[in-house]
Amino acid sequence: MSLQDDLKARTLALVSQQMANWVVEIQRSIAQHQADLVGSLDKLQETVARYDERIDEAAIGHAMDEVVKQQPPTASGPGCEQLRASLLEIDKGTSLSEVLTYLVTQSAGQIERAAMFIVKGTSAIGWYGRGFDQPELIKQLNIPLNADTVFRIVQNSRHALRGHVTHSPGTAQALARLAGNPQGVLAVPLILRDKLSAILYCDTQEEEVPAGLAALIEILVMYAARTIDVLSLAPKPGVQSGTSPSIAAPAPGRITSGSTMERAAAIRAAAPPAAAPVTADDEASATLMFRGSMGATPRPAPAAPAPRAAAPVVSPEDQKAHEDAKRFARLVVSEIKLYNEQKVLDGRRQKNIYEALKDDIERGRQMYSDRVPAQVRDSTNYFYDELVRILAGGDASALGPI
């Protein structure tokens, strides 16, 4: 080999070795930066999670009451006492379904007709109404959100809409089967955790809904949304684990005392200081979870779980872990029923609820599995118990083959 070739070979070998060393150093540096970033994100997430614990919801509730008390009654439109009475009625709701039912009832007490439409996918589906000659027809309405109606405008703007029915001919056509002669219309979005969950529709034979009345109804909707958020953090007194009211046909349930915020604050103050396996944010994020994860791949259907004894509660932390798991299971299964009421009723009659709602049930099961610690999941059947209680109405055979 010539001197030139030997120098060239040695040079290439040295360069290759140095480059290999550089690659190793760069990879180590990248790995270290990634680890540091993950650690920083974890700390930030913990910090954000603790912010909610610092909110004094009781103080907020008292402040709202004081503001309402201090406002003088206006010459036109409903007064503050009327608003306060309606807020107290909505606050009696012990579940998502009850809060929405009270909201519609109180709105209909202020205006001639009111109906709640649940937003599911690309449709606004009629759920419950008051003031209509045939309120049962509400459940037969399925209004596409891309149609030229007030529902599409509210979905796009996420703000309340007040006007005359002639401003949106498509609305009159979509609601024609409800009869009546509506003139002024009002549509108010119900936002839960930055998601459009439902739309409250109201109308009157007057030329338009008075501005003061529209403002009152908007406040009722916003308060109902806040109440639902608080309920996702802590159930109200009287709603025992495993026996809470299911999301069913609207019918106001029992009445409990004390404001929602006061009860939530009291429950949080009494809770053990240890972190709960299922966080409040996890529960709140379950609202609208099915529309937010429609692309998820369902897990294979497991066999129906055999009854197992509940894990013995040996400490406040263990007890809280089980209570959180029960509450999260109730929340997830209640959401399934809320958005699929007709399928649930048909499934009970045909004994095939699981087959009809397999995708939603398995998405819910996956969320439950992701949020609940293994030691709780492996020793209990909380999710299955709620399927039987809420979807099957207590008759396990109505679930059908699982």
Side-chain angles (χ1 to χ4, degrees):
M1 177 183 297
S2 65
L3 176 60
Q4 183 177 1
D5 291 339
D6 185 43
L7 289 173
K8 181 177 181 181
R10 289 178 178 273
T11 300
L12 290 175
L14 290 172
V15 170
S16 297
Q17 181 61 42
Q18 291 179 5
M19 291 184 66
N21 293 338
W22 294 340
V23 169
V24 171
E25 291 178 3
I26 292 172
Q27 289 176 338
R28 288 176 180 171
S29 179
I30 291 174
Q32 183 60 46
H33 283 301
Q34 288 177 333
D36 293 342
L37 179 59
V38 170
S40 298
L41 290 175
D42 287 342
K43 291 181 180 178
L44 179 60
Q45 186 175 11
E46 292 175 1
T47 301
V48 173
R50 287 195 295 269
Y51 283 147
D52 182 68
E53 300 175 0
R54 301 176 185 174
I55 297 176
D56 189 345
E57 293 172 342
I60 294 175
H62 290 313
M64 291 176 63
D65 289 342
E66 290 300 320
V67 170
V68 172
K69 289 178 182 178
Q70 294 171 7
Q71 295 301 313
T74 57
S76 61
C80 289
E81 285 303 317
Q82 200 169 0
L83 172 61
R84 177 180 173 82
S86 294
L87 293 178
L88 291 175
E89 286 298 310
I90 291 174
D91 196 46
K92 295 175 181 177
T94 60
S95 67
L96 172 62
S97 177
E98 286 188 2
V99 172
L100 295 182
T101 301
Y102 280 120
L103 172 60
V104 174
T105 301
Q106 289 304 307
S107 299
Q110 312 294 341
I111 198 169
E112 294 168 31
R113 307 195 305 179
M116 182 63 68
F117 287 79
I118 303 298
V119 174
K120 182 177 181 183
T122 58
S123 299
I125 300 174
W127 182 70
Y128 179 57
R130 293 291 296 270
F132 299 89
D133 292 336
Q134 295 179 285
E136 67 277 3
L137 294 178
I138 295 291
K139 289 183 176 291
Q140 300 177 18
L141 297 179
N142 188 324
I143 302 175
L145 290 174
N146 58 1
D148 186 15
T149 66
V150 295
F151 298 94
R152 185 186 71 174
I153 298 173
V154 169
Q155 182 204 30
N156 292 339
S157 69
R158 295 165 66 91
H159 294 293
L161 173 68
R162 180 173 68 98
H164 195 273
V165 69
T166 57
H167 298 161
S168 177
T171 301
Q173 181 179 356
L175 303 177
R177 68 172 64 186
L178 298 179
N181 185 32
Q183 299 298 312
V185 297
L186 173 68
V188 184
L190 188 144
I191 308 295
L192 296 178
R193 298 288 172 140
D194 203 36
K195 300 286 187 180
L196 178 63
S197 175
I199 297 174
L200 178 67
Y201 168 84
C202 305
D203 61 32
T204 175
Q205 293 187 12
E206 299 179 14
E207 284 300 307
E208 67 176 11
V209 179
L213 177 57
L216 182 144
I217 293 177
E218 286 185 53
I219 292 173
L220 295 183
V221 173
M222 289 188 290
Y223 187 78
R226 177 58 177 162
T227 300
I228 293 170
D229 278 344
V230 173
L231 283 175
S232 70
L233 298 176
K236 293 187 177 181
V239 183
Q240 299 298 327
S241 300
T243 60
S244 66
S246 60
I247 305 296
R254 61 184 172 280
I255 296 175
T256 55
S257 61
S259 73
T260 300
M261 293 183 181
E262 289 171 343
R263 281 186 289 269
I267 291 174
R268 175 178 289 135
V278 181
T279 67
D281 287 340
D282 288 336
E283 293 192 27
S285 67
T287 304
L288 308 174
M289 67 172 180
F290 299 107
R291 287 188 285 116
S293 60
M294 292 301 289
T297 302
R299 299 187 330 176
R308 288 173 294 192
V313 179
V314 296
S315 67
E317 290 78 7
D318 289 339
Q319 183 177 2
K320 190 173 191 305
H322 281 269
E323 292 303 319
D324 287 340
K326 291 176 185 177
R327 188 167 66 249
F328 192 68
R330 284 199 305 272
L331 182 68
V332 171
V333 178
S334 293
E335 288 289 325
I336 298 175
K337 185 173 183 181
L338 178 64
Y339 291 109
N340 299 279
E341 285 197 41
Q342 191 57 49
K343 288 185 179 181
V344 170
L345 294 177
D346 293 343
R348 287 182 182 179
R349 288 192 296 267
Q350 300 169 12
K351 306 291 185 181
N352 67 345
I353 293 176
Y354 179 79
E355 179 182 354
L357 296 172
K358 179 179 178 180
D359 289 350
D360 284 348
I361 289 174
E362 290 307 323
R363 273 192 293 271
R365 193 195 305 275
Q366 183 62 54
M367 286 196 68
Y368 178 80
S369 178
D370 290 343
R371 300 301 195 277
V372 176
Q375 64 269 24
V376 177
R377 294 197 316 268
D378 295 343
S379 61
T380 61
N381 288 325
Y382 295 143
F383 186 81
Y384 178 77
D385 292 343
E386 294 303 324
L387 291 179
V388 173
R389 188 179 67 85
I390 296 178
L391 296 189
D395 179 10
S397 65
L399 292 175
I402 295 183

